[in-house]
Amino acid sequence: MTKHELEYQEHLLPLTREELVARLREALSPKRFAHVCRVEQTAIQLAEQNGVDVEKASIAGLCHDYAKQRPDQDFIDVIHAKQMDPDLLNYGNAIWHGVVGAEMIKDELGVGDEDILNAIRQHTVGSNYMTKLAQIVYMADYIEPGRDFPGVEAARQITAQDLGAGVAYQTQHTLEYLIHKGQPVYPQTLVTYNAWVPKYQKENH
Ligand code: DGI
Ligand code: FE
Ligand code: FE
């Protein structure tokens, strides 16, 4: 079955892939839409290699940046309406589009599967415990073929060999980047760092 014929199981999403793609095309710029399509394809490959549900990888990959282009006020409204952690208000779109965006994906697109929603919630900041699906979405976003930054080839090779090692690699490099730029670090990003990075250092040396 090709990706174009994919009909999602009803309990995952009450839309066909084509219907979901149409919703994303409406919500996103052409560039961002092309990115989520590449993330979907990369996530599907990683799912096949790691024994993870391909439909969940497809849905999570396509939806992960659904909220990326929403105005700040939309996120602020959801944070209040759902009584989410008020500390979120100290951050911005970079953190909100995943953590808060997952609520919009649930309510507006009808994604009810918590495994998919958690993967989306964690796609920017990670978590101390990440399912294989969450690791896949986190890595697919980082290594999709449109990404071009120093270290992306190393990230692709490491991830092909060991998904968890890829998570550690990305987490270390993202934290280094944020610190280098003097950007605020969301606490969960540090939690992810502590859970993943030292562990893989020890195993590799
Ligand atoms: O949405 P994408 O651009 O496809 O990718 P993403 O959701 O992984 O977002 C990446 C951006 O988020 C990148 O510029 C780094 C930033 N980011 C990741 N963790 C943190 C963070 N920004 C802040 N301020 N704090 C974090 O902890
Ligand atoms: Fe994102
Ligand atoms: Fe993305």
Side-chain angles (χ1 to χ4, degrees):
M1 180 161 66
T2 72
K3 65 189 168 98
H4 298 290
E5 295 162 307
L6 194 60
E7 291 255 347
Y8 295 127
Q9 290 180 58
E10 186 77 21
H11 74 277
L12 293 180
L13 182 63
L15 300 175
T16 66
R17 183 180 176 282
E18 289 310 301
E19 288 166 341
L20 177 58
V21 164
R23 294 290 300 273
L24 289 159
R25 206 191 292 275
E26 267 173 46
L28 300 173
S29 70
K31 270 194 179 169
R32 181 62 53 181
F33 175 73
H35 162 70
V36 301
C37 292
R38 291 191 300 266
V39 172
E40 181 206 20
Q41 291 311 300
T42 306
I44 288 173
Q45 280 173 18
L46 290 173
E48 285 167 347
Q49 289 161 10
N50 289 279
V52 167
D53 187 314
V54 168
E55 286 188 45
K56 289 191 185 191
S58 166
I59 295 168
L62 284 171
C63 292
H64 82 284
D65 278 342
Y66 167 73
K68 184 92 177 183
Q69 291 169 317
R70 298 284 280 260
D72 286 356
Q73 193 60 48
D74 285 16
F75 294 106
I76 293 165
D77 290 346
V78 172
I79 292 166
H80 290 307
K82 300 221 172 190
Q83 301 181 352
M84 298 179 80
D85 183 355
D87 182 47
L88 280 164
L89 296 167
N90 297 316
Y91 295 85
N93 180 282
I95 302 303
W96 293 341
H97 81 279
V99 176
V100 186
E103 302 302 319
M104 298 167 173
I105 291 159
K106 176 159 67 175
D107 295 345
E108 298 174 20
L109 298 178
V111 175
D113 184 84
E114 276 298 315
D115 197 22
I116 296 174
L117 292 172
N118 280 330
I120 293 168
R121 288 186 181 107
Q122 295 168 5
H123 90 263
T124 309
V125 297
S127 178
N128 58 340
Y129 177 75
M130 296 167 80
T131 63
K132 288 252 187 257
L133 179 70
Q135 295 176 46
I136 282 171
V137 175
Y138 187 74
M139 291 320 301
D141 192 22
Y142 195 62
I143 64 171
E144 59 95 344
R147 294 288 195 203
D148 184 18
F149 55 83
V152 71
E153 263 315 314
R156 289 183 180 123
Q157 283 174 17
I158 291 165
T159 305
Q161 285 179 2
D162 181 344
L163 187 58
V167 171
Y169 182 94
Q170 174 179 175
T171 301
Q172 179 164 5
H173 287 261
T174 299
L175 188 58
E176 282 172 2
Y177 170 84
L178 292 170
I179 289 170
H180 180 72
K181 293 258 172 188
Q183 296 281 314
V185 177
Y186 188 61
Q188 195 173 321
T189 301
L190 285 173
V191 168
T192 306
Y193 175 88
N194 283 328
W196 290 87
V197 177
K199 180 173 143 198
Y200 278 89
Q201 292 291 326
K202 270 191 214 130
E203 284 178 10
N204 291 331
H205 291 282

